[in-house]
């Protein structure tokens, strides 16, 4: 028996409000409900994070993200989405079973804040680029 909380939801050992399920993955409402309809898409097979998951599973999951998000758009009237996957503690991952957050957006003060700091005046873009492509 797995200690992983998401594996327990997959195995119906603990309840989850499942909104989509197929052979490969599951989508269920995130307990925190950052905004109404906040949903997690997870693979049924346990992978720790996005870099571990195989390409077929990952591509299937992103199709499911689209299906689930369209349903949220239709049923809850979401105006947009933030699609997020946190990898490792440094990035805020608290459950180490790969998952994709679907965070519906309704207005600018709806509970989710994406803060992308503009560091363009501080960094050497050429230096970073060269490191990546050399
Ligand atoms: P992250 O921090 O990216 O690893 O996201 C984990 C999310 O999982 C977090 O938003 C809360 C949610 N979560 C944790 N435990 C449970 C649970 O038992 N049930 C459900 N539905 N969601 C959970």
């Amino acid at each position: 028996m797995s200690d992983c909380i998401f594996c327990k939801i997959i195995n119906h050992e603990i309840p989850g409000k499942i909104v989509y399920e197929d052979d490969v993955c599951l989508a269920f409402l995130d307990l925190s409900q950052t905004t109404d309809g906040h949903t997690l898409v997870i693979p049924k097979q346990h992978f720790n994070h996005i870099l571990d998951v195989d390409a077929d599973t990952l591509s299937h999951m992103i199709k499911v993200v689209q299906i689930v998000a369209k349903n949220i758009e239709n049923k809850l009237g979401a105006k947009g989405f933030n699609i997020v996957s946190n990898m490792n503690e440094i990035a805020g991952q608290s459950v180490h079973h790969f998952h994709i957050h679907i965070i519906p957006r309704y207005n600018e003060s709806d509970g989710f804040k994406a803060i992308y700091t503009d560091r363009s005046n501080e960094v050497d873009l050429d230096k970073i680029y060269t490191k990546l492509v050399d």
Side-chain angles (χ1 to χ4, degrees), residues 5-6 9 14-17 28-32 34 38 40 85-86 91-96 99 101:
I5 194 96
F6 288 176
I9 292 174
I14 61 168
K17 297 216 178 301
F28 58 97
L29 295 183
D30 189 299
L31 271 185
S32 66
T34 296
H38 179 184
L40 301 174
S85 185
N86 301 322
Q93 185 177 12
S94 59
V95 178
H96 295 273
H99 51 281
H101 291 261

Side-chain angles (χ1 to χ4, degrees), residues 64-83:
V64 171
V65 165
Q66 191 184 52
I67 291 167
V68 171
K70 279 182 178 169
N71 189 48
I72 296 169
E73 182 184 46
N74 289 336
K75 304 276 179 59
L76 298 184
K79 303 282 186 288
F81 294 90
N82 290 93
I83 309 294

Side-chain angles (χ1 to χ4, degrees), residues 92-122:
Q93 185 177 12
S94 59
V95 178
H96 295 273
H97 181 127
F98 172 52
H99 51 281
I100 302 174
H101 291 261
I102 301 173
I103 303 169
R105 301 304 306 272
Y106 301 95
N107 56 64
E108 283 172 8
S109 52
D110 58 13
F112 184 79
K113 289 243 176 305
I115 300 169
Y116 297 96
T117 309
D118 183 353
R119 297 171 56 244
S120 54
N121 290 331
E122 303 164 30

